[in-house]
Each structure stands twice: as structure tokens, then as C-alpha cells.
């Protein structure tokens, strides 16, 4: 089992399988774009599946494929296939912007990848194009509808919180109720010079708006490591929703996450610029026990928590310089 020096059990690995993306969300990528990694700098399919197997042998039981946009990686399904073949019982999850999801659903179903998080920050096609810079709203909605029609996938809709989100709260609640998906609102983290500094919205503002929209109840029994869960009853329906407040409520003490980036670096904290190269040693052909030792050492050096306390009603002052699209959120 993987523990850090604060006895936090680490059993969840988020794997960013590409740094590339087909959207340019303004809160995720800098306006000038980011330089993509060269082909050789990115882990190959068998390197991903080999490293994942190593983590599984150390006690990881849940893998989330993320990116960049995981579904634009050529061979994405081959990676999932290899991982599934190596670890038939592993919990497999995907975080996607949903633009290409519809065509992947049959394969994901076949491979038992059940948990899908789809990022959708607005229910207005125009605002979607403004935030992401791409006119793909209709495709995302179609993918969500198709995925929920399977009755197999557990679907969460992740929306980064903006002041404008509050105007769309009724639409979001109706959207979730009609499709049996779970809504989650995420406090925007200050990654990159995104020019959105003033629009940070703390989670408690959302809570006070939700309280005016129905009977809102906090349900700690279904909290996850990062999400504070609520139920809201309105119009005879009960809608489950989560709030992920990394800025105003730190959940570092419950952290169970490790991250593997597409260039083979292990990150033990999303907010830290520290990482450990696993690809270099792997390509030099070192014994897997040496890679395991590197992973254990990195974890023992993990700090008790992040130190970003910049956000308040006035906005974020501190900026984290690495792009989210490189790490996978
Ligand atoms: N492209 C995929 C997607 O958008 O779902 C996966 C990668 S994306 C980096 C993973 C998650 O990070 C998304 O839900 C996205 O909204 C979130 N994210 C990106 N930048 C963020 C920021 N500055 N603050 C909060 N969440 C952010
Ligand atoms: Fe791409 Fe996801 Fe970042 Fe948007 S949030 S730019 S979809 S990686």
C-alpha cells in the first residue's frame, strides 16, 4: 500500500495521456497557447500501461484518464484495452470535454469504463464558444444524452464556477434532473495568466444562490475526497450536486491522489511545480524496483498541503505558472 509521511493512503492515479487539446478553455490555457510536447517526449502506449501496472502493484485501485483531451490521443482505446487486460478489476474513469465522446461510447462500455466526467461550464452555446473558443456545444450535449441513454455510465458534469454560472443555476439543475447526471461546480484555480482574475467566485456564493432555488441539504455521507455533496429538492424532484472548493476549503488532509503526466512525470500535488521523472529511467531500462523506489521517495516527500491562499471575493492574485492542460486537473 502507498502511504506518504502523513499516513495518507494513495490509491488513485490520474493519468494525463496527452498534453494536447481540441479546445482552448480560457481558464486552462494561456491566451497565446502552450507549446505541445514532441512525439518522443510523450509516453508510448505500452509505457503508459506498464507504469499503470506498476502503480496497481503498489496499491492503486482507481485510474482516471485525463489530458489535455484524452480522446484526441491516437491509440487511446489501445491503452485502455491494455490496462483492462492487465488489471481486470481496476476502476477505470475518464475526464473529457465530451466533444469526441459520442463515438467512443461503445468501446468504453465494452471495456467497463463506467465513470465519465464531462466538462461543461455553461448551457449557453454562445458562452460555450466564448469560454472554449470552439463552437462544439451541440456535440457535447449529444454525447451526454447518448451516454446517459446507456444506463451504464455514471456521469458527472463538471462546471468551473464563474459569476455568470449563477444566472444559469436553474438551467443546470433542470439539465441534471432530466438526464440523471450529477452536477459538480468547481472553484476556478488560478492557473496561467488567463486574464480572468476578477471573476473568481467562492463556493459559498453558489451555496447561497442554491438555497433560494429549493430545499438545499448538505449530505456529508456521500462526500468524496474533493467534493462537498448536497441534495436540492425542487418541483418534486431531488437533484444531487457536488461543490469542489479547492481554494476556499482545502482538502489536502484527505488527498489520495497521484498524477502521471504525458511526459512520464509523477506529481504528488497538483499545485506544486515539483515532479519526478519516471520516463527517463524507464527508457534507460532500469529495473522496475528502481522505478518503485522513485515513486515511494516522491510520495514520502509530499507536503502536508498546498499553500495557495490567494483567492477571496476580490479575485486571485497568485498565479500558478504551469498549465492545467499539461497535468490533467
Ligand atoms: N480536457 C478534459 C476536460 O476538459 O475535461 C480533461 C483535462 S481538464 C485539464 C480536467 C479538468 O480540469 C476539467 O474539468 C477542467 O474544467 C478543469 N480545469 C482546468 N483548468 C481549471 C482551473 N483553472 N480551475 C479549475 N478547474 C480547471
Ligand atoms: Fe482542453 Fe480540458 Fe483544458 Fe478545456 S479544460 S482547454 S478541454 S484540457
Amino acid at each position: 500500500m502507498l502511504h506518504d509521511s502523513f499516513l495518507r493512503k494513495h490509491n488513485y492515479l490520474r493519468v494525463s495521456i496527452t498534453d494536447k487539446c481540441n479546445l482552448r478553455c480560457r481558464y486552462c490555457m494561456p491566451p497565446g497557447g502552450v507549446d505541445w510536447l514532441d512525439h518522443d517526449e510523450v509516453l508510448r502506449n505500452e509505457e503508459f500501461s506498464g507504469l499503470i501496472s506498476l502503480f496497481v502493484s503498489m496499491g492503486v485501485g482507481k485510474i482516471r484518464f485525463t489530458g489535455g483531451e484524452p480522446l484526441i490521443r491516437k491509440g487511446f482505446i489501445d491503452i485502455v484495452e491494455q490496462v483492462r487486460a492487465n488489471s481486470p478489476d481496476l476502476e477505470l474513469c475518464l475526464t473529457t470535454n465530451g466533444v469526441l465522446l459520442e463515438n467512443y461510447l461503445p468501446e468504453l462500455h465494452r471495456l467497463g469504463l463506467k465513470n465519465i466526467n464531462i466538462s461543461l461550464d455553461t448551457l449557453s452555446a454562445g458562452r460555450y464558444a466564448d469560454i472554449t473558443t470552439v463552437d462544439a456545444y451541440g456535440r457535447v450535449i449529444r454525447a451526454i444524452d447518448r451516454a446517459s441513454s446507456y444506463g451504464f455510465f455514471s456521469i458527472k458534469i463538471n462546471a468551473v464556477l464563474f459569476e455568470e454560472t449563477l444566472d444559469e443555476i436553474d438551467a443546470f439543475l433542470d439539465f441534471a434532473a432530466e438526464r440523471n447526471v450529477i452536477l459538480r461546480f468547481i472553484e476556478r484555480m488560478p492557473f496561467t495568466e488567463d486574464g480572468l482574475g476578477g471573476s473568481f467566485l467562492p463556493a459559498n456564493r453558489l451555496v447561497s444562490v442554491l438555497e433560494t432555488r429549493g430545499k438545499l441539504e448538505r449530505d456529508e455521507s456521500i462526500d468524496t475526497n474533493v467534493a462537498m455533496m448536497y441534495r436540492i429538492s425542487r418541483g418534486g424532484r431531488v437533484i444531487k450536486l457536488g461543490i469542489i472548493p479547492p481554494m476556499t476549503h482545502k482538502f489536502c488532509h484527505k488527498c489520495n491522489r497521484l498524477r502521471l503526466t504525458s511526459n512520464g512525470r509523477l506529481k504528488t500535488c497538483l499545485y506544486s511545480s515539483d515532479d519526478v521523472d519516471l520516463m527517463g529511467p524507464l527508457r534507460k531500462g532500469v529495473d522496475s524496483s528502481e522505478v518503485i523506489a522513485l515513486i515511494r521517495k516522491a510520495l514520502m516527500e509530499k507536503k502536508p498541503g498546498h499553500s495557495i491562499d490567494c483567492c477571496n471575493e476580490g479575485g486571485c492574485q497568485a498565479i500558478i505558472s504551469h498549465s492545467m492542460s499539461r497535468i490533467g486537473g
Side-chain angles (χ1 to χ4, degrees):
M1 189 45 71
L2 272 165
H3 286 104
D4 68 2
S5 60
F6 304 94
L7 300 181
R8 288 174 296 194
K9 188 166 124 186
H10 285 67
N11 53 9
Y12 175 21
L13 177 68
R14 297 175 66 97
V15 182
S16 174
I17 59 168
T18 177
D19 59 318
K20 300 180 181 57
C21 191
N22 47 357
L23 301 183
R24 296 283 178 280
C25 302
R26 291 165 60 202
Y27 52 78
C28 178
M29 287 200 190
V34 286
D35 292 332
W36 302 135
L37 294 167
D38 287 341
H39 182 70
D40 267 2
E41 293 176 290
V42 175
L43 289 171
R44 299 189 265 270
N45 292 2
E46 62 281 9
E47 290 173 330
F48 273 116
S49 57
L51 277 171
I52 289 171
S53 288
L54 213 58
F55 279 98
V56 171
S57 75
M58 299 173 82
V60 164
K62 174 174 170 183
I63 301 290
R64 176 171 299 282
F65 297 104
T66 174
E69 172 50 37
L71 300 184
I72 67 168
R73 159 116 190 180
K74 241 172 90 192
F76 168 66
I77 288 295
D78 296 335
I79 297 175
V80 182
E81 189 118 38
Q82 283 169 27
V83 171
R84 175 54 82 218
N86 293 344
S87 311
D89 299 327
L90 192 60
E91 184 179 345
L92 296 181
C93 317
L94 171 70
T95 295
T96 172
N97 58 33
V99 176
L100 300 175
L101 178 63
E102 193 177 2
N103 290 341
Y104 279 90
L105 291 169
E107 292 285 59
L108 297 176
H109 180 235
R110 177 176 69 80
L111 292 164
L113 189 153
K114 199 168 158 48
N115 299 305
I116 306 184
N117 292 358
I118 301 169
S119 303
L120 180 65
D121 306 316
T122 175
L123 293 172
S124 141
R127 232 190 117 222
Y128 183 91
D130 185 42
I131 295 171
T132 66
T133 78
V134 179
D135 178 13
Y137 177 77
R139 288 158 76 183
V140 180
I141 300 296
R142 241 191 357 257
I144 295 171
D145 286 343
R146 178 63 73 85
S148 71
S149 74
Y150 272 68
F152 166 76
F153 297 107
S154 162
I155 304 164
K156 298 196 181 87
I157 304 297
N158 285 342
V160 175
L161 254 179
F162 295 93
E163 196 67 44
E164 295 87 337
T165 319
L166 302 182
D167 301 334
E168 294 194 39
I169 280 303
D170 291 316
F172 267 115
L173 293 172
D174 291 342
F175 183 89
E178 284 156 16
R179 288 166 179 82
N180 195 24
V181 297
I182 296 180
L183 283 175
R184 303 196 313 172
F185 295 99
I186 309 173
E187 278 180 351
R188 183 174 63 81
M189 293 174 264
F191 280 86
T192 75
E193 297 280 357
D194 59 16
L196 300 168
S199 60
F200 174 75
L201 188 87
N204 61 5
R205 287 275 313 285
L206 172 66
V207 171
S208 51
V209 170
L210 286 169
E211 279 165 345
T212 67
R213 293 304 198 277
K215 185 166 172 253
L216 186 70
E217 287 170 298
R218 178 85 170 87
D219 186 350
E220 289 183 32
S221 71
I222 51 169
D223 274 4
T224 68
N225 273 12
V226 296
M228 293 157 59
M229 296 302 298
Y230 293 82
R231 289 179 206 278
I232 184 161
S233 317
R234 57 188 237 138
R237 295 186 296 201
V238 179
I239 303 152
K240 226 174 6 173
L241 62 97
I243 299 183
I244 303 180
M247 305 314 299
T248 57
H249 300 71
K250 282 190 197 177
F251 34 72
C252 302
H253 64 288
K254 291 200 281 187
C255 185
N256 66 341
R257 296 170 173 221
L258 295 165
R259 292 177 166 82
L260 179 65
T261 63
S262 56
N263 56 345
R265 294 183 171 267
L266 171 66
K267 287 186 78 70
T268 59
C269 175
L270 174 62
Y271 305 91
S272 162
S273 51
D274 296 343
D275 58 28
V276 171
D277 180 25
L278 302 182
M279 181 166 82
L282 199 70
R283 288 193 178 169
K284 279 190 196 134
V286 303
D287 194 80
S288 56
S289 61
E290 283 185 46
V291 182
I292 287 178
L294 284 172
I295 297 169
R296 289 206 186 281
K297 179 168 180 291
L299 194 53
M300 288 318 277
E301 288 168 0
K302 177 165 174 159
K303 309 244 170 26
H306 73 70
S307 52
I308 300 163
D309 292 313
C310 63
C311 284
N312 52 41
E313 306 264 344
C316 301
Q317 275 80 50
I319 299 287
I320 303 169
S321 59
H322 43 275
S323 162
M324 262 301 232
S325 60
R326 273 266 168 106
I327 314 167

